[in-house]
């Protein structure tokens, strides 16, 4: 991800049983039989050597621990990234050059060995190919040069053809698959229609989202036309990423939680469902992850999209989120990114609490948002060390 930003009645369900886990180091030096009979941790059962742990966990296979990766794990908290930014100060250049995309995406992989290696890019990357000029300006963030406000503006938006507009994304994903070699899952990502529409209508980031809501409530047909163009385009983009090497794709609907539930059901949910249905027609086994920050009031509706994984932010209790989402959907998250500013003991405690509440299986350990700028790199290293030492 970028160093600027991302990315009727309802049944209730019981929470999966919590795991009993401990650090592997307590048993690492014992023989297998002794460990199984009298040690704290049995020899882990390996489900598949051919598939990355993350994919096995999402499918509900029996895994020895939750896979772990972090949103914004490639970014400004890393010294190696800061050094590269000095040589290449333009974010657009860093995110649109194959060699730089690969180098940056692999920086955390080489240091921490996460179970997911996410493409370094931005949710706005497709905009240029849709005839929406933009830039990402240091200290300001995304800037849309000609915000869309009218039906005529929307008519000028072209359907996205990723092979023509962003070939560097496909090339980078193909290289990443070879470099990572199934030791971790290679992840792609896209922006959701409502979030992309918010950026191009507001002209960039927003605090109150007055422009997009004015359009939604005064000219809904115009907004629906724009949302449909983004839906068709992002469906193609996900397929392209999968065909190029992505083994799972995360959809960021960062601003959908600015909508009331009734408005979410009109302006976001139908388009997310359309994307999921369209992708599953051609790529039925591709795991789709949905993340929307501040989504506590919409969790049950997020599950209705049909995605395989719902990524929870830290404002939702993990056990409560499990109950509300039900047993047939995987969860991701949801440690508060601020925890990484705490002591190593505190970080360890919060990881253990999250994994316990998530229960065994169908859980990807992650933060509840992206890593915050200024996070100590040694604390990120500790997060991964603890996470990868857990055993159910």
């Amino acid at each position: 991800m970028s160093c600027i930003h991302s990315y009727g009645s309802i049944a209730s369900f019981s929470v999966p049983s919590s795991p009993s886990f401990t650090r592997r180091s307590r048993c690492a030096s014992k023989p297998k039989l002794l460990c199984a009979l009298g040690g704290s941790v049995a020899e882990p059962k390996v489900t598949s050597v051919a598939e990355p742990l993350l994919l096995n966990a999402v499918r509900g296979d029996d895994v020895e621990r939750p896979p772990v990766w972090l949103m914004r794990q490639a970014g400004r908290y890393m010294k190696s990234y800061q050094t590269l930014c000095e040589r290449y100060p333009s974010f657009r250049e860093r995110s649109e050059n194959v060699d730089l995309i690969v180098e940056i995406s692999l920086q955390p992989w080489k240091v921490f060995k996460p179970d997911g290696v996410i493409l370094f890019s931005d949710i706005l990357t497709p905009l240029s190919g849709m005839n929406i000029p933009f830039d990402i300006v240091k200290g300001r963030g995304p800037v849309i040069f000609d915000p869309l406000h009218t039906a005529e503006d929307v008519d000028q938006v072209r359907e996205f053809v990723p092979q023509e507009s962003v070939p560097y994304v496909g090339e980078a994903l193909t290289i990443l698959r070879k470099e990572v070699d199934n030791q971790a899952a290679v992840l792609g990502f896209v922006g959701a229609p409502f979030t992309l529409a918010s950026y191009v209508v507001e002209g960039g980031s927003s605090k109150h989202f007055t422009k997009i809501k004015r359009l939604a409530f005064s000219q809904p047909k115009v907004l629906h036309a724009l949302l449909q163009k983004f839906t068709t385009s992002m469906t193609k983009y996900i397929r392209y990423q999968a065909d190029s090497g992505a083994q799972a794709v995360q959809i960021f609907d960062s601003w959908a939680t600015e909508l009331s539930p009734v408005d979410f059901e009109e302006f976001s949910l139908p388009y997310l469902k359309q994307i999921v249905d369209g992708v599953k027609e051609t790529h039925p086994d591709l795991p789709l992850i949905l993340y929307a920050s501040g989504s506590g009031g919409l969790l049950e509706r997020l599950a209705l999209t049909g995605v395989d994984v719902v990524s929870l932010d830290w404002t939702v209790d993990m056990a409560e989120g499990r109950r509300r989402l039900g047993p047939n959907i995987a969860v991701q998250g949801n440690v508060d990114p601020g925890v990484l500013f705490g002591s190593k003991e505190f970080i360890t405690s919060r990881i253990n609490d999250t994994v316990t509440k998530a229960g065994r299986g169908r859980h990807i350990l992650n933060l509840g948002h992206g890593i915050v700028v200024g996070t100590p790199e040694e604390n990120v290293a500790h997060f991964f060390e603890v996470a990868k030492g857990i055993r159910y």
Side-chain angles (χ1 to χ4, degrees):
M1 294 183 63
S2 81
C3 60
I4 305 294
H5 66 286
S6 45
Y7 345 227
S9 64
I10 299 173
S12 60
F13 302 90
S14 61
V15 183
S17 59
S18 297
S20 174
F21 61 88
T22 185
R23 294 295 302 278
R24 188 179 188 183
S25 59
R26 292 177 59 187
C27 198
S29 61
K30 299 182 181 180
K32 183 189 302 184
L33 182 61
L34 177 62
C35 182
L37 295 177
S40 301
V41 182
E43 183 73 10
K45 174 184 176 182
V46 179
T47 307
S48 169
V49 296
E51 290 281 339
L53 177 65
L54 187 147
L55 301 185
N56 292 330
V58 171
R59 282 195 299 259
D61 292 346
D62 187 19
V63 294
E64 61 185 11
R65 64 172 175 86
V68 57
W69 70 280
L70 302 181
M71 288 184 278
R72 290 185 183 162
Q73 65 187 16
R76 289 187 293 176
Y77 73 98
M78 294 191 74
K79 178 61 178 176
S80 57
Y81 181 76
Q82 296 169 13
T83 301
L84 188 142
C85 286
E86 292 174 0
R87 292 162 48 205
Y88 305 98
S90 166
F91 178 83
R92 290 285 300 273
E93 181 179 9
R94 295 193 298 273
S95 62
E96 297 178 13
N97 176 289
V98 174
D99 292 338
L100 294 178
I101 294 171
V102 171
E103 180 179 351
I104 295 168
S105 300
L106 290 177
Q107 283 178 345
W109 164 249
K110 292 176 178 177
V111 178
F112 309 121
K113 287 294 188 289
D115 297 302
V117 175
I118 192 165
L119 175 78
F120 180 79
S121 186
D122 194 272
I123 63 171
L124 302 185
T125 294
L127 294 187
S128 293
M130 300 183 71
N131 196 33
I132 306 174
F134 81 102
D135 200 359
I136 296 178
V137 181
K138 184 176 181 180
R140 183 178 175 186
V143 177
I144 309 301
F145 296 124
D146 299 301
L148 311 184
H149 298 137
T150 67
E152 291 73 22
D153 294 337
V154 174
D155 287 341
Q156 298 303 309
V157 177
R158 293 195 300 261
E159 193 171 295
F160 184 54
V161 182
Q163 296 89 337
E164 298 176 2
S165 299
V166 292
Y168 46 84
V169 168
E171 293 175 37
L173 284 168
T174 300
I175 295 170
L176 288 173
R177 271 297 292 275
K178 293 178 181 177
E179 290 287 333
V180 177
D181 193 28
N182 262 4
Q183 297 175 64
V186 172
L187 309 176
F189 70 94
V190 302
F194 182 78
T195 290
L196 294 173
S198 296
Y199 276 111
V200 303
V201 171
E202 295 287 340
S205 300
S206 177
K207 288 185 178 180
H208 303 294
F209 297 88
T210 53
K211 295 176 182 176
I212 186 73
K213 290 187 176 183
R214 180 184 298 119
L215 187 64
F217 303 146
S218 65
Q219 301 181 74
K221 288 184 178 180
V222 175
L223 180 54
H224 280 300
L226 178 60
L227 291 169
Q228 187 57 58
K229 287 193 174 186
F230 278 130
T231 298
T232 302
S233 297
M234 292 307 104
T235 302
K236 288 185 174 182
Y237 195 24
I238 293 175
R239 291 169 175 162
Y240 173 69
Q241 292 188 23
D243 290 341
S244 300
Q247 294 165 286
V249 175
Q250 181 155 312
I251 304 169
F252 286 88
D253 208 353
S254 309
W255 305 131
T257 51
E258 294 295 327
L259 294 168
S260 68
V262 66
D263 294 319
F264 176 82
E265 290 176 354
E266 179 175 356
F267 296 108
S268 182
L269 180 58
Y271 299 102
L272 290 169
K273 290 179 68 174
Q274 191 179 143
I275 289 174
V276 173
D277 290 345
V279 171
K280 292 299 184 179
E281 285 179 6
T282 57
H283 298 74
D285 299 323
L286 179 71
L288 297 176
I289 306 167
L290 177 60
Y291 174 78
S293 57
S295 60
L298 297 172
L299 281 190
E300 292 83 357
R301 290 171 175 84
L302 296 185
L304 294 176
T305 60
V307 294
D308 303 280
V309 186
V310 170
S311 190
L312 304 176
D313 75 14
W314 73 93
T315 65
V316 178
D317 180 81
M318 177 57 80
E320 180 184 336
R322 275 289 208 189
R323 276 195 299 270
R324 292 171 61 188
L325 289 168
N328 297 321
I329 189 166
V331 293
Q332 179 174 271
N334 68 335
V335 178
D336 184 341
V339 166
L340 292 176
F341 289 97
S343 68
K344 289 180 171 57
E345 293 76 16
F346 183 66
I347 294 169
T348 300
S349 173
R350 286 301 179 90
I351 292 172
N352 291 346
D353 178 68
T354 298
V355 175
T356 299
K357 289 179 175 178
R360 178 164 187 157
R362 290 188 184 273
H363 174 222
I364 302 169
L365 181 60
N366 205 314
L367 300 177
H369 198 276
I371 296 179
V372 179
V373 175
T375 297
E377 194 167 341
E378 62 269 23
N379 286 2
V380 176
H382 180 73
F383 188 101
F384 280 110
E385 179 187 0
V386 172
K388 296 182 77 173
I390 289 171
R391 293 295 180 270
Y392 286 126

